[in-house]
Amino acid sequence: KFYIIRDGCARIKNKVQGSQLLLPDLKRGDFFGERALISGEHSDMSVTAVTNCVLLCFSRKQFLKMFGTAEDVMKATVRKKILENMSLFQSSELDS
């Protein structure tokens, strides 16, 4: 399943060679479960609500019907992140 956080905050942990790797908290608009959409594999990650959360949940079939392929969504997400981060380089601090 694929999940989008509608409201709230969640913490994601990833098992890496027997150790737990703590990743940045997820917030409104963030998502998880994309690995299952792409490969059908089970993930070693665990997600725990930090606050009360409202999640949108999609099966693979529902996701494809609504959003297209996971690859299309990932490309759009990367483009969005690049554009968001470009504003960091337009800061007046870099002008000095």
Side-chain angles (χ1 to χ4, degrees):
K1 302 246 179 182
F2 177 78
Y3 301 89
I4 300 173
I5 298 178
R6 182 171 172 209
D7 287 306
C9 182
R11 184 155 296 142
I12 188 164
K13 293 180 184 176
N14 189 7
K15 279 188 183 178
V16 178
Q17 298 177 350
S19 298
Q20 290 269 353
L21 176 63
L22 186 62
L23 300 172
D25 286 351
L26 302 174
K27 60 190 179 324
R28 180 181 175 89
D30 289 334
F31 55 84
F32 57 97
E34 65 276 11
R35 184 174 174 183
L37 287 177
I38 296 166
S39 65
E41 295 178 13
H42 176 69
S43 175
D44 289 335
M45 293 188 186
S46 64
V47 179
T48 306
V50 175
T51 65
N52 288 334
C53 290
V54 176
L55 304 175
L56 303 174
C57 177
F58 301 93
S59 68
R60 179 177 172 79
K61 184 177 178 179
Q62 291 169 323
F63 183 91
L64 291 173
K65 184 176 179 180
M66 293 181 73
F67 303 110
T69 67
E71 182 178 327
D72 293 340
V73 173
M74 287 173 44
K75 285 179 184 176
T77 301
V78 168
R79 276 190 225 111
K80 180 181 176 223
K81 292 286 185 191
I82 288 170
L83 292 174
E84 287 172 352
N85 289 324
M86 285 180 71
S87 66
L88 294 174
F89 297 107
Q90 296 172 1
S91 169
S92 60
E93 293 175 15
L94 296 177
D95 296 334
S96 51

Coordinates of all heavy atoms in Angstrom, one line a residue:
K1 N 0.8 -1.2 0.0 CA 0.0 0.0 0.0 C 0.9 1.3 0.0 O 2.0 1.2 0.5 CB -0.9 0.0 1.2 CG -1.8 -1.2 1.3 CD -3.2 -0.8 1.2 CE -4.0 -2.1 1.3 NZ -5.4 -1.9 1.2
F2 N 0.3 2.3 -0.5 CA 1.0 3.6 -0.6 C 0.2 4.6 0.3 O -1.1 4.6 0.2 CB 1.0 4.1 -2.0 CG 1.6 5.4 -2.2 CD1 3.0 5.6 -2.2 CD2 0.8 6.6 -2.4 CE1 3.5 6.9 -2.4 CE2 1.3 7.8 -2.6 CZ 2.7 8.0 -2.6
Y3 N 0.9 5.4 1.1 CA 0.2 6.3 2.0 C 0.7 7.7 1.8 O 1.9 8.0 1.6 CB 0.6 5.9 3.5 CG 0.1 4.5 3.8 CD1 1.0 3.4 3.6 CD2 -1.1 4.2 4.4 CE1 0.6 2.1 3.9 CE2 -1.5 2.9 4.7 CZ -0.6 1.9 4.5 OH -1.0 0.6 4.8
I4 N -0.3 8.7 1.9 CA 0.0 10.1 1.9 C -0.4 10.7 3.2 O -1.6 10.4 3.7 CB -0.7 10.8 0.8 CG1 -0.2 10.2 -0.6 CG2 -0.4 12.3 0.8 CD1 -1.0 10.7 -1.8
I5 N 0.4 11.5 3.9 CA 0.0 12.1 5.2 C -0.8 13.3 4.8 O -0.4 14.3 4.2 CB 1.2 12.4 6.0 CG1 2.0 11.2 6.3 CG2 0.8 13.2 7.3 CD1 3.3 11.4 7.1
R6 N -2.1 13.2 5.2 CA -3.0 14.4 5.0 C -2.9 15.4 6.2 O -2.8 16.6 6.0 CB -4.4 13.9 5.0 CG -5.4 15.0 4.7 CD -6.8 14.5 4.4 NE -7.7 15.6 4.4 CZ -8.9 15.6 4.7 NH1 -9.5 14.5 5.0 NH2 -9.7 16.7 4.6
D7 N -2.8 14.9 7.4 CA -2.5 15.7 8.6 C -1.7 14.9 9.6 O -1.8 13.7 9.7 CB -3.9 16.1 9.3 CG -4.7 17.1 8.5 OD1 -4.1 18.1 8.1 OD2 -5.9 16.8 8.2
G8 N -0.9 15.7 10.3 CA -0.1 15.1 11.4 C 1.4 14.9 11.0 O 1.9 15.4 10.0
C9 N 2.1 14.2 11.9 CA 3.5 14.0 11.7 C 3.8 12.5 12.1 O 3.3 12.0 13.1 CB 4.2 15.0 12.7 SG 6.0 14.9 12.6
A10 N 4.7 11.9 11.3 CA 5.1 10.5 11.6 C 6.6 10.4 11.5 O 7.3 11.2 10.8 CB 4.4 9.6 10.5
R11 N 7.1 9.4 12.2 CA 8.5 9.1 12.3 C 8.8 7.8 11.5 O 8.1 6.8 11.7 CB 9.0 9.0 13.7 CG 10.5 8.8 13.9 CD 10.9 9.3 15.2 NE 10.8 10.7 15.3 CZ 10.4 11.4 16.4 NH1 10.2 10.7 17.5 NH2 10.2 12.7 16.4
I12 N 9.8 7.8 10.7 CA 10.1 6.7 9.9 C 11.5 6.2 10.3 O 12.4 6.9 10.5 CB 10.1 7.0 8.4 CG1 10.2 5.8 7.5 CG2 11.1 8.1 8.0 CD1 9.8 6.0 6.1
K13 N 11.6 4.9 10.5 CA 12.9 4.2 10.8 C 13.1 3.1 9.8 O 12.2 2.4 9.3 CB 12.8 3.6 12.2 CG 12.7 4.6 13.3 CD 12.6 3.9 14.7 CE 12.4 4.8 15.8 NZ 12.2 4.2 17.1
N14 N 14.4 3.0 9.4 CA 14.8 2.1 8.4 C 15.9 1.1 9.0 O 16.8 1.6 9.6 CB 15.4 2.8 7.2 CG 15.6 1.9 6.0 OD1 15.3 0.7 6.0 ND2 16.3 2.5 5.0
K15 N 15.7 -0.2 8.8 CA 16.7 -1.1 9.3 C 17.8 -1.2 8.2 O 17.5 -1.5 7.1 CB 16.1 -2.5 9.5 CG 15.4 -2.7 10.8 CD 15.0 -4.2 10.9 CE 14.2 -4.4 12.2 NZ 13.8 -5.8 12.3
V16 N 19.0 -0.9 8.7 CA 20.2 -1.0 7.8 C 21.2 -1.9 8.4 O 21.7 -1.6 9.5 CB 20.8 0.4 7.5 CG1 22.0 0.2 6.6 CG2 19.8 1.3 6.9
Q17 N 21.4 -3.1 7.9 CA 22.3 -4.1 8.4 C 22.2 -4.3 9.9 O 23.1 -4.2 10.7 CB 23.8 -3.7 8.1 CG 24.0 -3.6 6.6 CD 25.4 -3.1 6.2 OE1 26.2 -2.7 7.1 NE2 25.8 -3.3 5.0
G18 N 20.9 -4.5 10.3 CA 20.6 -4.8 11.7 C 20.5 -3.5 12.6 O 20.1 -3.6 13.8
S19 N 20.9 -2.4 12.1 CA 20.8 -1.1 12.9 C 19.6 -0.3 12.5 O 19.2 -0.4 11.3 CB 22.0 -0.3 12.8 OG 23.1 -1.0 13.2
Q20 N 19.0 0.5 13.4 CA 17.9 1.4 13.0 C 18.4 2.7 12.6 O 19.2 3.3 13.3 CB 17.0 1.6 14.2 CG 16.2 0.3 14.6 CD 14.9 0.3 13.9 OE1 14.4 1.2 13.2 NE2 14.2 -0.8 14.0
L21 N 18.1 3.2 11.4 CA 18.4 4.5 10.9 C 17.2 5.4 11.0 O 16.2 5.1 10.4 CB 18.9 4.4 9.4 CG 19.2 5.7 8.7 CD1 20.4 6.3 9.4 CD2 19.5 5.4 7.3
L22 N 17.3 6.4 11.8 CA 16.2 7.4 12.0 C 16.3 8.4 10.9 O 17.3 9.1 10.7 CB 16.3 8.1 13.3 CG 15.2 9.0 13.7 CD1 13.9 8.2 13.8 CD2 15.5 9.6 15.1
L23 N 15.2 8.6 10.1 CA 15.1 9.5 9.0 C 14.3 10.7 9.4 O 13.6 10.7 10.5 CB 14.4 8.8 7.8 CG 15.2 7.6 7.3 CD1 14.3 6.8 6.3 CD2 16.5 7.9 6.8
P24 N 14.4 11.8 8.7 CA 13.6 13.0 9.0 C 12.1 12.7 9.1 O 11.6 11.8 8.4 CB 13.9 14.0 7.9 CG 15.1 13.5 7.3 CD 15.2 12.0 7.5
D25 N 11.4 13.4 10.1 CA 10.0 13.1 10.3 C 9.2 13.5 9.0 O 9.6 14.4 8.3 CB 9.5 13.9 11.4 CG 9.9 13.4 12.8 OD1 10.5 12.3 12.8 OD2 9.6 14.0 13.8
L26 N 8.1 12.8 8.8 CA 7.2 13.0 7.7 C 6.1 13.9 8.2 O 5.7 13.8 9.3 CB 6.6 11.7 7.2 CG 7.6 10.6 6.7 CD1 6.9 9.3 6.4 CD2 8.4 11.1 5.5
K27 N 5.7 14.8 7.3 CA 4.6 15.8 7.6 C 3.6 15.8 6.5 O 3.7 15.1 5.5 CB 5.2 17.1 7.9 CG 6.0 17.7 6.7 CD 6.7 18.9 7.1 CE 7.5 19.5 6.0 NZ 8.1 18.6 5.0
R28 N 2.6 16.7 6.7 CA 1.5 16.8 5.7 C 2.1 16.9 4.3 O 3.0 17.7 4.0 CB 0.8 18.1 6.0 CG -0.4 18.4 5.0 CD -1.1 19.7 5.4 NE -2.1 20.0 4.4 CZ -3.4 19.6 4.5 NH1 -3.8 18.8 5.5 NH2 -4.2 19.9 3.5
G29 N 1.6 16.1 3.4 CA 2.0 16.0 2.0 C 3.1 15.0 1.7 O 3.3 14.7 0.6
D30 N 3.8 14.6 2.7 CA 4.8 13.5 2.5 C 4.1 12.2 2.4 O 3.0 12.0 2.7 CB 5.8 13.5 3.7 CG 6.7 14.7 3.8 OD1 7.0 15.3 2.8 OD2 7.1 15.0 4.9
F31 N 4.9 11.2 1.8 CA 4.3 9.9 1.6 C 5.3 8.8 1.9 O 6.5 9.1 2.0 CB 3.9 9.8 0.1 CG 4.9 10.2 -0.9 CD1 5.9 9.2 -1.3 CD2 5.1 11.5 -1.4 CE1 6.8 9.5 -2.2 CE2 6.0 11.8 -2.3 CZ 6.9 10.8 -2.7
F32 N 4.8 7.6 2.0 CA 5.6 6.4 2.2 C 4.9 5.2 1.5 O 3.7 5.3 1.3 CB 6.0 6.2 3.6 CG 4.8 6.1 4.6 CD1 4.3 4.8 4.9 CD2 4.2 7.2 5.1 CE1 3.3 4.7 5.8 CE2 3.1 7.1 6.0 CZ 2.7 5.8 6.3
G33 N 5.7 4.2 1.3 CA 5.1 3.0 0.7 C 5.4 2.9 -0.8 O 4.9 2.0 -1.5
E34 N 6.2 3.9 -1.3 CA 6.4 3.9 -2.8 C 7.2 2.7 -3.3 O 7.1 2.3 -4.4 CB 7.2 5.2 -3.2 CG 8.5 5.4 -2.6 CD 8.6 6.0 -1.2 OE1 7.6 6.1 -0.5 OE2 9.7 6.4 -0.8
R35 N 8.0 2.1 -2.4 CA 8.8 0.9 -2.8 C 7.9 -0.2 -3.2 O 8.1 -0.9 -4.1 CB 9.7 0.5 -1.6 CG 10.6 -0.6 -2.0 CD 11.6 -0.9 -0.8 NE 12.3 -2.1 -1.1 CZ 13.2 -2.5 -0.2 NH1 13.4 -1.9 0.9 NH2 13.9 -3.6 -0.5
A36 N 6.8 -0.4 -2.4 CA 5.8 -1.4 -2.8 C 5.1 -1.2 -4.1 O 4.8 -2.1 -4.8 CB 4.8 -1.5 -1.7
L37 N 4.9 0.1 -4.4 CA 4.3 0.4 -5.7 C 5.3 0.1 -6.9 O 4.8 -0.4 -7.9 CB 4.0 1.9 -5.8 CG 2.8 2.4 -5.0 CD1 2.7 3.9 -5.2 CD2 1.6 1.8 -5.4
I38 N 6.6 0.4 -6.7 CA 7.5 0.2 -7.8 C 7.9 -1.3 -7.9 O 7.9 -1.8 -9.0 CB 8.8 1.0 -7.5 CG1 8.4 2.5 -7.5 CG2 9.9 0.8 -8.5 CD1 9.5 3.4 -6.9
S39 N 8.3 -1.9 -6.9 CA 8.8 -3.3 -7.0 C 7.9 -4.4 -6.4 O 8.2 -5.5 -6.7 CB 10.2 -3.3 -6.2 OG 10.0 -3.1 -4.8
G40 N 6.9 -4.0 -5.6 CA 6.1 -5.0 -5.0 C 6.8 -5.6 -3.8 O 6.2 -6.6 -3.2
E41 N 8.0 -5.2 -3.4 CA 8.7 -5.7 -2.3 C 8.2 -5.2 -1.0 O 7.7 -4.0 -0.9 CB 10.2 -5.4 -2.4 CG 10.9 -6.0 -3.6 CD 12.3 -5.6 -3.7 OE1 12.9 -5.1 -2.8 OE2 12.9 -5.9 -4.8
H42 N 8.4 -5.9 0.1 CA 8.1 -5.5 1.4 C 9.3 -4.6 1.9 O 10.4 -4.9 1.6 CB 7.9 -6.7 2.3 CG 7.7 -6.3 3.8 ND1 6.6 -5.7 4.2 CD2 8.5 -6.4 4.9 CE1 6.6 -5.5 5.5 NE2 7.8 -5.9 5.9
S43 N 9.0 -3.6 2.6 CA 10.0 -2.7 3.1 C 10.4 -3.0 4.5 O 9.6 -3.5 5.3 CB 9.4 -1.2 3.1 OG 10.4 -0.3 3.7
D44 N 11.7 -2.7 4.9 CA 12.2 -2.9 6.2 C 11.9 -1.6 7.1 O 12.4 -1.6 8.2 CB 13.7 -3.2 6.2 CG 13.9 -4.6 5.7 OD1 13.0 -5.5 5.8 OD2 15.0 -4.8 5.2
M45 N 11.2 -0.7 6.6 CA 11.0 0.5 7.3 C 9.7 0.4 8.2 O 8.8 -0.4 7.8 CB 10.7 1.7 6.3 CG 11.9 2.1 5.5 SD 11.6 3.6 4.6 CE 13.2 3.7 3.7
S46 N 9.7 1.1 9.3 CA 8.6 1.2 10.1 C 8.2 2.7 10.3 O 9.0 3.5 10.3 CB 8.8 0.6 11.5 OG 9.8 1.3 12.2
V47 N 6.9 2.9 10.3 CA 6.4 4.3 10.4 C 5.5 4.4 11.6 O 4.6 3.5 11.8 CB 5.6 4.7 9.2 CG1 5.1 6.1 9.3 CG2 6.5 4.6 7.9
T48 N 5.8 5.4 12.5 CA 5.0 5.5 13.7 C 4.5 7.0 13.8 O 5.3 7.9 13.5 CB 6.0 5.3 15.0 OG1 6.5 4.0 14.8 CG2 5.2 5.3 16.3
A49 N 3.3 7.1 14.2 CA 2.7 8.5 14.3 C 3.3 9.2 15.5 O 3.4 8.6 16.6 CB 1.2 8.4 14.5
V50 N 3.8 10.4 15.3 CA 4.3 11.3 16.4 C 3.2 12.1 16.9 O 3.1 12.4 18.1 CB 5.4 12.2 15.8 CG1 5.9 13.1 16.9 CG2 6.6 11.3 15.3
T51 N 2.2 12.5 16.1 CA 1.0 13.2 16.5 C -0.2 12.4 15.9 O 0.0 11.5 15.1 CB 1.0 14.6 15.9 OG1 0.9 14.6 14.5 CG2 2.2 15.4 16.4
N52 N -1.4 12.8 16.2 CA -2.5 12.2 15.5 C -2.4 12.4 14.0 O -2.1 13.6 13.6 CB -3.8 12.8 16.0 CG -4.2 12.3 17.4 OD1 -3.7 11.3 17.9 ND2 -4.9 13.1 18.2
C53 N -2.6 11.4 13.2 CA -2.4 11.5 11.8 C -3.7 11.1 11.1 O -4.4 10.2 11.5 CB -1.3 10.6 11.3 SG 0.3 11.1 11.8
V54 N -3.9 11.7 9.9 CA -4.9 11.3 9.0 C -4.1 10.9 7.7 O -3.3 11.7 7.2 CB -5.9 12.4 8.7 CG1 -6.9 12.0 7.6 CG2 -6.6 12.8 9.9
L55 N -4.3 9.7 7.3 CA -3.6 9.2 6.1 C -4.5 8.8 5.0 O -5.6 8.4 5.2 CB -2.8 7.9 6.5 CG -1.8 8.0 7.6 CD1 -1.3 6.6 7.9 CD2 -0.7 8.9 7.4
L56 N -4.1 9.0 3.8 CA -4.8 8.6 2.6 C -4.0 7.3 2.2 O -2.8 7.3 2.1 CB -4.7 9.6 1.5 CG -5.3 11.0 1.8 CD1 -5.0 11.9 0.7 CD2 -6.7 10.9 2.1
C57 N -4.8 6.2 1.9 CA -4.2 4.9 1.6 C -4.6 4.5 0.3 O -5.8 4.5 0.0 CB -4.6 3.9 2.7 SG -4.0 2.3 2.4
F58 N -3.7 4.0 -0.6 CA -4.0 3.6 -1.9 C -3.4 2.2 -2.2 O -2.2 2.0 -1.9 CB -3.5 4.5 -3.0 CG -4.0 5.9 -2.8 CD1 -3.3 6.9 -2.1 CD2 -5.2 6.3 -3.4 CE1 -3.8 8.2 -2.0 CE2 -5.7 7.6 -3.3 CZ -5.0 8.5 -2.6
S59 N -4.2 1.3 -2.7 CA -3.6 0.0 -3.3 C -2.9 0.4 -4.5 O -3.1 1.5 -5.1 CB -4.8 -1.0 -3.5 OG -5.5 -0.5 -4.6
R60 N -2.1 -0.5 -5.1 CA -1.4 -0.3 -6.3 C -2.4 0.0 -7.4 O -2.2 0.9 -8.2 CB -0.5 -1.5 -6.6 CG 0.2 -1.4 -7.9 CD 1.1 -2.6 -8.2 NE 1.7 -2.6 -9.5 CZ 2.8 -1.9 -9.8 NH1 3.4 -1.2 -8.9 NH2 3.3 -2.0 -11.0
K61 N -3.5 -0.7 -7.5 CA -4.5 -0.5 -8.6 C -5.1 0.8 -8.5 O -5.2 1.5 -9.5 CB -5.5 -1.6 -8.4 CG -6.6 -1.6 -9.5 CD -7.5 -2.8 -9.4 CE -8.6 -2.7 -10.4 NZ -9.5 -3.8 -10.3
Q62 N -5.5 1.3 -7.3 CA -6.0 2.6 -7.1 C -5.1 3.7 -7.4 O -5.4 4.7 -8.1 CB -6.5 2.8 -5.6 CG -7.6 1.9 -5.2 CD -7.8 2.0 -3.7 OE1 -6.9 2.0 -2.9 NE2 -9.1 2.0 -3.3
F63 N -3.8 3.5 -7.0 CA -2.8 4.5 -7.3 C -2.6 4.7 -8.8 O -2.6 5.8 -9.3 CB -1.4 4.1 -6.7 CG -0.3 5.1 -6.8 CD1 -0.1 6.1 -5.9 CD2 0.5 5.0 -8.0 CE1 0.9 7.0 -6.1 CE2 1.5 6.0 -8.1 CZ 1.7 7.0 -7.2
L64 N -2.4 3.6 -9.5 CA -2.2 3.7 -11.0 C -3.4 4.3 -11.7 O -3.2 5.1 -12.6 CB -2.0 2.3 -11.6 CG -0.7 1.6 -11.1 CD1 -0.6 0.2 -11.6 CD2 0.5 2.4 -11.7
K65 N -4.6 4.0 -11.2 CA -5.8 4.6 -11.8 C -5.9 6.1 -11.6 O -6.2 6.9 -12.5 CB -7.1 4.0 -11.2 CG -8.3 4.4 -11.8 CD -9.5 3.7 -11.3 CE -10.8 4.2 -11.9 NZ -12.0 3.5 -11.4
M66 N -5.5 6.6 -10.4 CA -5.6 8.0 -10.0 C -4.4 8.8 -10.5 O -4.5 10.0 -10.9 CB -5.8 8.2 -8.5 CG -7.1 7.6 -8.1 SD -7.3 7.9 -6.3 CE -7.6 9.6 -6.2
F67 N -3.2 8.3 -10.4 CA -1.9 9.1 -10.5 C -1.0 8.7 -11.7 O -0.1 9.4 -12.0 CB -1.1 9.1 -9.2 CG -1.8 9.5 -8.0 CD1 -2.2 8.6 -7.0 CD2 -2.2 10.9 -7.9 CE1 -2.9 9.1 -5.9 CE2 -2.9 11.3 -6.8 CZ -3.2 10.4 -5.8
G68 N -1.3 7.5 -12.3 CA -0.3 7.0 -13.3 C 0.7 6.2 -12.6 O 0.6 5.8 -11.5
T69 N 1.8 5.9 -13.3 CA 2.9 5.1 -12.8 C 3.6 5.8 -11.6 O 3.7 7.0 -11.6 CB 3.9 4.7 -13.8 OG1 4.6 5.8 -14.3 CG2 3.2 4.0 -15.0
A70 N 4.2 5.0 -10.8 CA 5.0 5.5 -9.7 C 6.2 6.3 -10.3 O 6.6 7.3 -9.7 CB 5.5 4.4 -8.8
E71 N 6.7 5.9 -11.4 CA 7.8 6.6 -12.0 C 7.4 8.0 -12.4 O 8.2 9.0 -12.2 CB 8.3 5.8 -13.3 CG 9.5 6.4 -14.0 CD 10.0 5.6 -15.1 OE1 9.9 4.4 -15.1 OE2 10.5 6.3 -16.1
D72 N 6.2 8.2 -13.0 CA 5.7 9.5 -13.4 C 5.7 10.4 -12.1 O 6.1 11.6 -12.2 CB 4.4 9.4 -14.0 CG 4.4 8.7 -15.3 OD1 5.4 8.6 -16.0 OD2 3.3 8.2 -15.8
V73 N 5.1 9.9 -11.0 CA 5.0 10.6 -9.8 C 6.4 11.0 -9.2 O 6.6 12.1 -8.8 CB 4.1 9.9 -8.8 CG1 4.1 10.6 -7.4 CG2 2.7 9.7 -9.3
M74 N 7.3 10.0 -9.3 CA 8.6 10.3 -8.7 C 9.3 11.4 -9.5 O 10.0 12.3 -9.0 CB 9.5 9.0 -8.7 CG 9.0 8.1 -7.6 SD 9.8 6.5 -7.6 CE 11.5 6.8 -7.8
K75 N 9.2 11.4 -10.9 CA 9.8 12.4 -11.7 C 9.2 13.8 -11.3 O 10.0 14.8 -11.2 CB 9.6 12.1 -13.2 CG 10.4 11.0 -13.7 CD 10.1 10.8 -15.2 CE 10.9 9.6 -15.7 NZ 10.5 9.3 -17.1
A76 N 7.9 13.9 -11.2 CA 7.3 15.1 -10.8 C 7.7 15.6 -9.4 O 8.0 16.8 -9.2 CB 5.7 15.0 -10.8
T77 N 7.9 14.7 -8.5 CA 8.4 15.0 -7.2 C 9.8 15.5 -7.2 O 10.1 16.5 -6.5 CB 8.3 13.8 -6.2 OG1 7.0 13.3 -6.2 CG2 8.8 14.1 -4.8
V78 N 10.7 14.9 -8.0 CA 12.1 15.4 -8.1 C 12.1 16.8 -8.7 O 12.8 17.7 -8.2 CB 12.9 14.4 -8.9 CG1 14.2 15.0 -9.3 CG2 13.1 13.1 -8.2
R79 N 11.3 17.0 -9.7 CA 11.2 18.4 -10.3 C 10.8 19.4 -9.3 O 11.4 20.5 -9.2 CB 10.2 18.4 -11.5 CG 10.8 17.9 -12.8 CD 9.9 18.2 -14.0 NE 9.9 17.0 -14.8 CZ 8.9 16.1 -14.9 NH1 7.7 16.4 -14.3 NH2 9.0 15.1 -15.6
K80 N 9.8 19.0 -8.5 CA 9.3 20.0 -7.5 C 10.4 20.3 -6.4 O 10.6 21.4 -6.1 CB 8.1 19.4 -6.8 CG 7.5 20.2 -5.7 CD 6.3 19.6 -5.1 CE 5.8 20.5 -4.0 NZ 5.4 19.8 -2.8
K81 N 11.1 19.2 -6.0 CA 12.1 19.4 -5.0 C 13.3 20.3 -5.5 O 13.8 21.2 -4.8 CB 12.7 18.1 -4.5 CG 11.7 17.3 -3.7 CD 11.6 17.8 -2.3 CE 10.7 16.9 -1.5 NZ 10.3 17.5 -0.3
I82 N 13.6 20.1 -6.8 CA 14.7 20.9 -7.4 C 14.2 22.4 -7.4 O 15.0 23.3 -7.1 CB 15.0 20.4 -8.8 CG1 15.7 19.1 -8.7 CG2 15.8 21.4 -9.6 CD1 15.9 18.4 -10.0
L83 N 13.0 22.6 -7.8 CA 12.5 24.0 -7.9 C 12.4 24.6 -6.5 O 12.8 25.8 -6.4 CB 11.2 24.1 -8.6 CG 11.2 23.7 -10.1 CD1 9.8 23.7 -10.6 CD2 12.0 24.7 -10.9
E84 N 12.0 23.9 -5.5 CA 12.0 24.4 -4.2 C 13.4 24.8 -3.7 O 13.6 25.8 -3.0 CB 11.4 23.4 -3.2 CG 9.9 23.2 -3.4 CD 9.3 22.1 -2.5 OE1 10.1 21.3 -2.0 OE2 8.1 21.9 -2.5
N85 N 14.3 23.9 -4.0 CA 15.7 24.1 -3.5 C 16.4 25.2 -4.3 O 17.4 25.8 -3.7 CB 16.5 22.8 -3.5 CG 16.1 21.9 -2.5 OD1 15.7 22.2 -1.4 ND2 16.1 20.6 -2.8
M86 N 16.0 25.5 -5.5 CA 16.6 26.6 -6.2 C 16.4 27.9 -5.5 O 17.3 28.8 -5.6 CB 16.0 26.7 -7.6 CG 16.5 25.6 -8.5 SD 15.8 25.7 -10.2 CE 16.6 27.1 -10.8
S87 N 15.3 28.1 -4.8 CA 15.1 29.4 -4.0 C 16.2 29.6 -3.0 O 16.5 30.7 -2.6 CB 13.7 29.4 -3.4 OG 13.7 28.4 -2.4
L88 N 16.9 28.5 -2.6 CA 18.0 28.7 -1.6 C 19.1 29.4 -2.2 O 19.9 30.1 -1.6 CB 18.5 27.3 -1.1 CG 17.5 26.4 -0.3 CD1 18.1 25.1 -0.1 CD2 17.2 27.1 1.0
F89 N 19.3 29.2 -3.6 CA 20.4 29.9 -4.2 C 20.1 31.3 -4.7 O 21.0 32.0 -5.1 CB 20.8 29.0 -5.5 CG 21.3 27.7 -5.1 CD1 20.5 26.6 -5.3 CD2 22.5 27.5 -4.5 CE1 21.0 25.3 -5.0 CE2 23.0 26.2 -4.1 CZ 22.2 25.1 -4.4
Q90 N 18.9 31.7 -4.5 CA 18.5 33.1 -4.8 C 18.5 34.0 -3.6 O 18.1 35.1 -3.7 CB 17.1 33.1 -5.5 CG 17.1 32.3 -6.8 CD 15.7 32.1 -7.3 OE1 14.7 32.6 -6.7 NE2 15.6 31.4 -8.4
S91 N 19.0 33.5 -2.5 CA 19.1 34.2 -1.2 C 20.0 35.4 -1.4 O 21.0 35.4 -2.0 CB 19.5 33.3 -0.1 OG 19.8 34.0 1.0
S92 N 19.7 36.5 -0.7 CA 20.5 37.7 -0.7 C 21.9 37.4 0.0 O 22.8 38.1 -0.3 CB 19.8 38.9 0.0 OG 19.5 38.5 1.3
E93 N 21.9 36.4 0.8 CA 23.2 36.1 1.5 C 24.3 35.7 0.5 O 25.5 35.9 0.7 CB 23.0 34.9 2.5 CG 22.2 35.3 3.7 CD 21.9 34.1 4.6 OE1 22.6 33.1 4.4 OE2 21.0 34.2 5.4
L94 N 23.8 35.1 -0.7 CA 24.8 34.7 -1.7 C 25.2 35.8 -2.5 O 26.2 35.7 -3.3 CB 24.1 33.6 -2.6 CG 23.8 32.3 -1.8 CD1 23.1 31.3 -2.8 CD2 25.0 31.6 -1.3
D95 N 24.5 36.9 -2.5 CA 24.9 38.1 -3.3 C 26.1 38.9 -2.7 O 26.7 39.6 -3.4 CB 23.7 39.1 -3.4 CG 22.5 38.4 -4.1 OD1 22.8 37.5 -5.0 OD2 21.4 38.9 -3.9
S96 N 26.4 38.6 -1.5 CA 27.5 39.4 -0.9 C 28.9 38.7 -1.1 O 29.0 37.7 -1.6 CB 27.3 39.5 0.6 OG 27.0 38.3 1.2

